[in-house]
Amino acid sequence: MADTTAKREPATVETDELTQKVKRAKTDSENGRGEVGDEFETDVLSGFQTSAVLSDSAREKTIFIRGKLADEDAVVILEKTPIREDTLAELFTGSRLKLEMRNDIYSTYRLQPPPHLNEIKTTVVCPATEKHVKKYQRQESFLVEETGEDYKTITLPYIQKQSFSVQWVHNILEKKAEADRIVFEDPDKEVGFVLLPDFKWDQKQADDLYLIAITHQRNIKSLRDLTSDHLRLLQNIFQKGKEAILQRYNLPASKLRVYLHYQPSYYHLHVHFTKLGYEAPGCGVERAHFLADVIQNLQADPQYYKTRTLYFPLRADDGLLSKFKEAGRL
C-alpha cells in the first residue's frame, strides 16, 4: 500500500520558489495536489537531473523518473496524452509525415503534429520521499488474504503506526485547495461529499472520465469501517454522483463504473467514478469493489465488512506485506 504523502521540511527561499512552480505544474498524484492555471512554467524542469528510471510502460506510454530539482529529491512522471476525436481534422491537415516503409497497400510514417497536439502530461513530486520512489518503482506484487481478524491484528495497527497524512484531502474539503475544480458538492456533514476530477483525467474527453467523491465525514478510513450506519452516505454518493455526472458530462449511469478500492491508497473514504470501458488503474477485481455491491452487502449484513475475508495486492516492498509475512499469513 503506497503512502502518497510527503512530509516537508522547512525550505530555503530557492526551494519555496521551486515548490510554487511545481504546484502549478502538477497534473496528477493523490496528494499535494496544486491549483491548475493557464500560465506556462518553462523553467520548472530545466534543472532536473535524472538519476534513475523507476519504471516505464510502452503500452500505457508512461515513464517514471527519479532525480533532483534544486537539490531536492524529485519524481517526474511523463505520460502521452490521448488522441482526441475533436482534434483529428487539425491533426491530419497540420501535421508533417515522413515515410518509413511502403509495401503494396501498406505504408508507415512518422507523424509530427502541431506542438499543441503533442503534449506530454507531466507530474512533478517534489520533495519526493523514499515512499514516493517505492510507489512508482516497478515491483513484483503478491495477493494477500485478509480476514476480519487479520485486519484488527495486522492491518489496522500498521495503518495507525504509519500515521498516513490526509491533510491534502482536508484542504479540498475546507476549500483551501482545488475549490475551482469541484464539480458537485453536498455540504451535509453526515452524508455529504465533494466530487471532483481525478488528476489522472485531463478533462479533455469523456472516454477516460475519472472523478473522485470524497466524503465530508473524516472518521471512515476504508471499506473495513463501513456498516449499515453508513448506508445513507453511500446511497447519497451513488445517486447524486451519477446525477452530477449526467448533468455535467452527459454520461448516463449505464456508462459509469462506480467503486471503492481496498486497500485504498489513502485512508479517507472516497469513491471512484470512471467511464465504463476505460481501464483505469486499480479497476481490476483484485482491488475494486462496486459501490452497488457494497450497499447491497451492508443491507444484507450490517457488519459485512467487519468480518468478510478480503483480497488485495501488495507490492514486494510494502511494509504491510512484511507484517503479513511475519504473522505467517503469506
Side-chain angles (χ1 to χ4, degrees), residues 89-260:
E90 186 178 4
L91 186 66
F92 291 141
T93 59
S95 301
R96 293 188 301 166
L97 290 176
K98 182 178 181 181
L99 180 67
E100 286 194 325
M101 181 276 294
R102 181 179 288 120
N103 183 356
D104 192 29
I105 64 173
Y106 302 101
S107 54
T108 60
Y109 302 85
R110 286 192 177 273
L111 184 147
Q112 296 179 347
H116 66 283
L117 297 181
N118 196 32
E119 296 177 342
I120 296 178
K121 179 181 174 184
T122 303
T123 301
V124 180
V125 183
C126 182
T129 67
E130 281 301 315
K131 290 179 180 178
H132 287 105
V133 172
K134 289 181 179 179
K135 173 184 177 181
Y136 298 120
Q137 198 165 31
R138 185 182 291 108
Q139 292 282 334
E140 186 178 10
S141 293
F142 298 84
L143 192 66
V144 171
E145 177 182 330
E146 179 194 79
T147 66
E149 188 63 24
D150 289 335
Y151 176 75
K152 295 176 185 177
T153 60
I154 303 174
T155 305
L156 184 57
Y158 176 80
I159 293 170
Q160 293 171 332
K161 185 176 180 180
Q162 294 298 311
S163 299
F164 297 113
S165 173
V166 289
Q167 183 57 50
W168 68 273
V169 177
H170 298 167
N171 289 343
I172 292 174
L173 296 175
E174 295 165 9
K175 310 299 192 302
K176 294 178 180 178
E178 304 188 52
D180 60 332
R181 302 183 68 249
I182 293 175
V183 171
F184 173 83
E185 179 178 14
D186 180 339
D188 189 281
K189 295 304 179 183
E190 292 299 315
V191 300
F193 64 98
V194 297
L195 181 70
L196 72 166
D198 188 280
F199 270 120
K200 297 179 184 67
W201 183 36
D202 62 12
Q203 303 181 61
K204 293 182 179 179
Q205 63 283 313
D207 284 346
D208 54 347
L209 176 140
Y210 197 149
L211 295 104
I212 299 289
I214 302 175
T215 63
H216 277 298
Q217 281 201 50
R218 301 189 181 190
N219 61 344
I220 312 172
K221 292 184 291 296
S222 74
L223 198 64
R224 281 293 191 190
D225 288 335
L226 294 175
T227 68
S228 58
D229 292 338
H230 301 110
L231 281 171
R232 287 181 59 242
L233 168 65
L234 299 176
Q235 290 166 335
N236 191 51
I237 292 174
F238 197 36
Q239 185 61 36
K240 291 185 179 177
K242 292 186 294 184
E243 291 173 356
I245 291 173
L246 176 62
Q247 182 176 354
R248 181 70 172 267
Y249 304 107
N250 197 32
L251 275 180
S254 60
K255 293 187 177 181
L256 294 177
R257 182 193 292 116
V258 188
Y259 57 97
L260 296 86

Side-chain angles (χ1 to χ4, degrees), residues 48-52 54 65-69 72-76 128:
F48 181 71
Q49 298 177 334
T50 299
S51 60
L54 299 175
I65 311 152
R66 184 180 188 178
K68 291 277 191 179
L69 267 177
E72 293 276 9
D73 288 325
V75 172
V76 173

Side-chain angles (χ1 to χ4, degrees), residues 75-95:
V75 172
V76 173
I77 304 167
L78 303 178
E79 178 183 355
K80 291 290 289 184
T81 54
I83 298 172
R84 305 197 316 272
E85 185 177 348
D86 61 355
T87 65
L88 291 179
E90 186 178 4
L91 186 66
F92 291 141
T93 59
S95 301

